[in-house]
Amino acid sequence: MMNSSLLTPSSSSSSHIQTPSTTFDHEDFLDQIFSSAPWPSVVDDAHPPPSDGFHGHDVDSRNQQIMMMPLNDGSSVHALYNGFSASGSLPNFHIPQGSGGGLINQQGQTQTQTQPQASASTATGGTVAAPPQSRTKVRARRGQATDPHSIAERLRRERIAERMKALQELVPNGNKTDKASMLDEIIDYVKFLQLQVKVLSMSRLGGAASVSSQISEAGGSHGNASSAMAGGSQTAGNSNDSITMTEHQVAKLMEEDMGSAMQYLQGKGLCLMPISLATAISTATCHSRNPLIPGAVADVGGPSSPNLSGMTIQSTNTTMGNGNGKLNGNCNGVTKGSSSIAVKEAVSVSKP
Amino acid sequence: MASADKLINTDVPEKDVFALHFLQSLSNLRTQSPLNSPNKSIDRVRKIKKAAYVSMARAAGGTSRLWSRALLRRAAKDDNKSVRFSRRKRKVTWKISSKRKRSNQRAPVVEEAAERLRNLVPGGGGMETSKLMEETAHYIKCLSMQVKVMQCLVDGLSQK
């Protein structure tokens, strides 16, 4: 019978934490187990869950008390193997699983384990002393080394992967499968949020001068040059003359005095922002919107240009929830010379 | 997703908690230096930004989160104030001891990204990578909430 081969303690005599040396024999084991007749010597009482395929297990009320809860995944084979092979000398094991729970008791207790495995794993008071989590994880995986360092390593990797998955849902564009690009995305998103806080705290002040001086500072430190300059170079190919003219005007004004340049822009209902923020906004929002030129000069006012003339600045995700009606009102406010810099949705963009 | 969040608690308070803290800090700022508007106004920007971060840290859970604790400590250090931290039982994980031995086994890709994250997230210098990512998740949630609050304020105030 096939039992004999399984009952011989092949490799686990030394330590209970041991995986069988053969990795792929488990498949055979599984088949054997599912198709085999009762296990007389080892299994005390095995009540398979409905989904499992154990039939005809002989409840042997002998002393061999390895009571097993067959698991749904492959780890069941593992557990069974370990249970069978070190019969009688098995320390208590408690296998909590994601999919099920395995329970190996040392004392012969006829358990009525028809309940779901999760509850079964916590029931049967006093029989199983739960060893540290790491040991049970060893059982959980087949064919991997049981060196404590690699266990720790594996645990650590699992935890990191788990958290990365949670982070993936937070970050927009979090559908990258590659871990490296996902991490880059996370980092960029944190930077973007911090930048947003900075910009918003700037806008809370009144006065274009403060904002402009801040921007010139920031522009120098970031090496963004002047965002208007960059916008100017970018719109070189733009066929719309009004924008080019505005750019030139602004550039000229900037050389003299930043404040007047800002006021000029705001008089037109435009706003100035660092390129990094503009690109961040453009990547953060949905791309189904109108094409975005990551320049600095944004056309915000409705009255000034009904169509977009090729440049939009889109508000970030966060402002979408604020109600679109308000944004329209704000646009008019901006054209009236309000000094706050705010990123507004262009009027003519249709909202989803 | 549900399984991941079961183990990690990344709940943040509602928006109004953040709004309340932020408005309180702003009003404190105003009473602090009512007529003192410095010429440069950059100081004002900095103060507002700092108030934003501190209020966010307070709203997010005070000293119960690592990043908020580090943020508050950093802010208090600038003002030469001292922050009182409640004594918390440190959860010692055996994992950390093995970290020292096998440092070369860490996935280098993850580790260099973790290094960059540590520079960004306050208090990240002393954290393990998995803890760092947990803190990052909470930090991101709080940051986005704070940004929403500030944006709402700006929109509300700029309507003339």
Side-chain angles (χ1 to χ4, degrees):
Chain A
M1 195 156 139
M2 293 169 269
N3 298 345
S4 54
S5 63
L6 289 172
L7 285 181
T8 55
S10 60
S11 56
S12 63
S13 51
S14 54
S15 129
H16 54 269
I17 309 176
Q18 201 152 13
T19 56
S21 47
T22 62
T23 60
F24 293 109
D25 285 347
H26 292 124
E27 299 300 333
D28 305 333
F29 283 151
L30 196 54
D31 293 339
Q32 287 175 4
I33 286 165
F34 280 133
S35 60
S36 75
W39 298 107
S41 59
V42 189
V43 177
D44 182 21
D45 185 29
H47 293 265
S51 55
D52 205 286
F54 270 82
H55 305 297
H57 259 265
D58 193 8
V59 177
D60 193 25
S61 52
R62 237 179 46 177
N63 242 5
Q64 259 349 329
Q65 10 320 28
I66 307 220
M67 218 292 298
M68 262 328 135
M69 219 23 196
L71 302 172
N72 286 333
D73 50 1
S75 55
S76 63
V77 183
H78 206 113
L80 285 167
Y81 180 85
N82 287 315
F84 288 134
S85 55
S87 52
S89 63
L90 243 180
N92 298 323
F93 265 98
H94 178 78
I95 305 182
Q97 285 297 322
S99 60
L103 196 57
I104 308 176
N105 300 331
Q106 276 236 329
Q107 292 316 309
Q109 298 180 7
T110 60
Q111 314 275 354
T112 56
Q113 298 284 348
T114 50
Q115 48 200 328
Q117 296 152 345
S119 55
S121 63
T122 57
T124 74
T127 57
V128 176
Q133 190 78 0
S134 63
R135 289 214 210 131
T136 61
K137 293 281 193 189
V138 171
R139 294 285 179 194
R141 305 272 186 229
R142 331 190 244 152
Q144 293 194 4
T146 57
D147 179 33
H149 290 307
S150 48
I151 297 173
E153 194 60 35
R154 200 187 327 139
L155 254 185
R156 187 180 158 275
R157 273 198 287 266
E158 281 170 12
R159 286 166 76 144
I160 291 182
E162 209 173 275
R163 282 153 172 83
M164 281 239 324
K165 225 186 324 184
L167 270 174
Q168 220 173 1
E169 282 128 17
L170 282 181
V171 176
N173 287 335
N175 45 9
K176 310 272 199 299
T177 50
D178 182 24
K179 224 199 282 191
S181 60
M182 191 60 226
L183 286 165
D184 289 340
E185 197 68 41
I186 292 171
I187 290 172
D188 287 340
Y189 190 57
V190 171
K191 279 196 224 166
F192 164 68
L193 283 175
Q194 285 176 340
L195 187 57
Q196 253 191 314
V197 170
K198 183 181 196 179
V199 165
L200 279 172
S201 67
M202 282 197 297
S203 73
R204 303 264 9 217
L205 307 174
S210 62
V211 177
S212 62
S213 57
Q214 181 73 8
I215 287 185
S216 59
E217 250 189 36
S221 63
H222 292 311
N224 279 339
S226 159
S227 44
M229 299 296 182
S233 61
Q234 275 185 357
T235 55
N238 200 333
S239 55
N240 198 325
D241 286 351
S242 67
I243 291 192
T244 328
M245 218 173 57
T246 311
E247 302 269 359
H248 288 160
Q249 195 67 3
V250 169
K252 218 177 4 169
L253 279 175
M254 277 205 173
E255 293 168 25
E256 310 161 353
D257 172 30
M258 197 64 189
S260 58
M262 295 297 304
Q263 281 166 358
Y264 174 78
L265 273 178
Q266 282 170 353
K268 287 186 157 288
L270 305 173
C271 72
L272 207 60
M273 63 166 40
I275 291 186
S276 56
L277 181 58
T279 45
I281 292 175
S282 69
T283 52
T285 55
C286 52
H287 297 284
S288 60
R289 303 209 158 258
N290 293 343
L292 176 76
I293 299 181
V297 181
D299 196 335
V300 178
S304 55
S305 65
N307 57 350
L308 295 172
S309 65
M311 281 199 176
T312 59
I313 282 282
Q314 297 174 349
S315 60
T316 63
N317 287 333
T318 59
T319 62
M320 290 320 292
N322 291 343
N324 300 321
K326 230 201 273 188
L327 289 176
N328 288 332
N330 282 333
C331 287
N332 293 329
V334 169
T335 53
K336 289 197 182 89
S338 154
S339 57
S340 63
I341 281 196
V343 179
K344 303 285 196 273
E345 185 84 18
V347 178
S348 52
V349 175
S350 60
K351 319 279 186 293
Chain B
M1 167 180 142
S3 62
D5 287 338
K6 234 193 308 183
L7 307 171
I8 317 163
N9 177 27
T10 53
D11 296 331
V12 300
E14 290 295 314
K15 202 159 83 164
D16 29 359
V17 177
F18 283 88
L20 181 65
H21 277 84
F22 188 48
L23 287 171
Q24 271 178 354
S25 69
L26 281 182
S27 70
N28 284 344
L29 210 54
R30 205 157 60 101
T31 56
Q32 244 177 41
S33 55
L35 304 170
N36 173 25
S37 73
N39 280 339
K40 275 287 183 175
S41 301
I42 299 179
D43 298 338
R44 272 181 75 187
V45 174
R46 283 206 204 109
K47 278 199 205 143
I48 290 184
K49 187 169 81 153
K50 186 161 136 181
Y53 275 110
V54 166
S55 75
M56 174 175 77
R58 287 221 185 90
T63 56
S64 61
R65 281 273 163 183
L66 272 172
W67 66 264
S68 59
R69 207 183 304 171
L71 225 172
L72 287 171
R73 198 196 293 261
R74 197 194 295 170
K77 189 176 58 158
D78 292 343
D79 297 339
N80 289 329
K81 277 191 264 188
S82 67
V83 190
R84 245 171 300 149
F85 294 125
S86 61
R87 213 63 198 138
R88 206 169 65 130
K89 283 197 279 273
R90 302 270 307 275
K91 258 193 333 185
V92 180
T93 58
W94 62 274
K95 193 166 60 68
I96 295 187
S97 61
S98 65
K99 166 174 106 156
R100 303 293 168 211
K101 295 180 202 161
R102 297 284 201 126
S103 50
N104 54 349
Q105 273 193 6
R106 310 302 180 209
V109 174
V110 176
E111 284 313 304
E112 63 180 289
E115 198 56 42
R116 279 187 279 163
L117 258 185
R118 281 200 188 95
N119 294 334
L120 283 176
V121 176
M127 282 194 245
E128 258 269 308
T129 304
S130 59
K131 186 73 177 161
L132 176 72
M133 304 190 65
E134 190 179 327
E135 292 290 314
T136 306
H138 194 260
Y139 186 58
I140 285 181
K141 274 195 193 170
C142 290
L143 265 182
S144 53
M145 196 70 79
Q146 182 74 19
V147 162
K148 270 187 217 165
V149 164
M150 289 172 79
Q151 187 71 52
C152 276
L153 274 174
V154 167
D155 289 342
L157 287 177
S158 62
Q159 263 177 358
K160 294 281 171 69

